[in-house]
Amino acid sequence: EDQVTQSPEALRLQEGESSSLNCSYTVSGLRGLFWYRQDPGKGPEFLFTLYSAGEEKEKERLKATLTKKESFLHITAPKPEDSATYLCAVQANQAGTALIFGKGTTLSVSS
Amino acid sequence: EPEVTQTPSHQVTQMGQEVILRCVPISNHLYFYWYRQILGQKVEFLVSFYNNEISEKSEIFDDQFSVERPDGSNFTLKIRSTKLEDSAMYFCASSEGSRYGYTFGSGTRLTVV
């Protein structure tokens, strides 16, 4: 069964304290791995898509990397406005275009 | 920036009633989706729609649910005979292609009482 597990469930950081969020996946052939940001009461906001092991994408303070078993979302020098829930999702070959989501990591950044 | 628009933002309905959730996807997108998120749980796939027909659906999307694209802009999710466990945030999403990131709407919070 295709599965996505994110850790930690919650992460508290001080402003400027860099860290990484983990997404490990088990799928029957990966078509793509997606990172989203979700603010309370809102829909997920697209951040990155990664397609193959070794690929990296960057956007401002965020950098996503991908291996054959997991993806990391690195947050460099976070600011309070980076506080949100970060969702990882995979698209598997046998699942067509449907996304399988993890439970997310809730990040809180304090100043 | 183009966005996916969902209405209403919040709907309260009595158990057993029918509800229709509405979405306006991004105009040049080809794939349309409905997902739901029960409070405190994962975002779950319901159905995908391409070329005016359902292309995939999950086990959740049973005979109680239906989708329609009644015109060139709207995309609707109908839930017949709502149950308490249908209470959730329902998200519409659209994408340009099957391997592109989706754009999600802000969601409709459905409360069944």
Side-chain angles (χ1 to χ4, degrees):
Chain A
E1 184 186 338
D2 299 329
Q3 207 166 357
V4 178
T5 304
Q6 292 189 247
S7 62
E9 288 186 13
L11 181 63
R12 290 184 177 273
L13 298 174
Q14 290 288 317
E15 185 172 3
E17 180 187 2
S18 302
S19 188
S20 297
L21 313 182
N22 178 262
C23 170
S24 57
Y25 60 90
T26 307
V27 294
S28 53
L30 181 72
R31 293 183 71 185
L33 185 141
F34 300 77
W35 282 98
Y36 286 86
R37 169 191 170 127
Q38 187 175 29
D39 292 303
K42 300 288 187 185
E45 176 190 343
F46 173 71
L47 294 173
F48 305 108
T49 309
L50 301 166
Y51 295 108
S52 56
E55 191 174 358
E56 298 182 352
K57 294 265 178 83
E58 280 189 73
K59 180 180 179 179
E60 295 181 356
R61 295 177 292 282
L62 301 176
K63 179 180 176 180
T65 62
L66 180 65
T67 72
K68 288 187 178 179
K69 293 183 179 180
E70 58 191 350
S71 176
F72 290 93
L73 185 65
H74 306 279
I75 304 176
T76 303
K79 298 182 178 181
E81 53 261 42
D82 295 321
S83 298
T85 296
Y86 290 86
L87 303 175
C88 172
V90 298
Q91 214 176 42
N93 283 333
Q94 292 187 2
T97 61
L99 293 182
I100 302 161
F101 280 86
K103 284 189 172 180
T105 294
T106 300
L107 174 66
S108 300
V109 183
S110 54
S111 56
Chain B
E1 189 172 328
E3 56 181 33
V4 174
T5 304
Q6 288 187 245
T7 55
S9 56
H10 191 186
Q11 174 136 13
V12 180
T13 190
Q14 293 216 327
M15 194 167 51
Q17 295 296 304
E18 175 181 287
V19 295
I20 297 176
L21 310 184
R22 303 181 191 278
C23 170
V24 179
I26 294 173
S27 60
N28 65 334
H29 284 188
L30 302 175
Y31 291 79
F32 313 115
Y33 307 89
W34 285 101
Y35 284 75
R36 78 173 185 190
Q37 187 174 30
I38 295 170
L39 190 63
Q41 297 190 23
K42 294 183 183 184
V43 176
E44 301 175 289
F45 169 73
L46 293 178
V47 66
S48 62
F49 194 85
Y50 171 71
N51 204 24
N52 287 319
E53 61 182 20
I54 290 174
S55 49
E56 301 148 277
K57 59 183 181 178
S58 70
E59 292 177 352
I60 302 168
F61 194 88
D62 58 21
D63 292 342
Q64 185 194 6
F65 295 88
S66 61
V67 290
E68 198 174 44
R69 190 157 160 80
D71 53 45
S73 59
N74 291 286
F75 181 50
T76 63
L77 174 69
K78 183 188 291 185
I79 310 174
R80 287 180 281 275
S81 190
T82 49
K83 306 172 216 172
L84 295 176
E85 54 264 38
D86 294 327
S87 295
M89 195 76 154
Y90 287 81
F91 293 109
C92 174
S94 67
S95 69
E96 292 179 71
S98 61
R99 294 182 77 198
Y100 287 81
Y102 301 6
T103 301
F104 282 83
S106 290
T108 293
R109 180 171 299 284
L110 176 65
T111 304
V112 182
V113 297

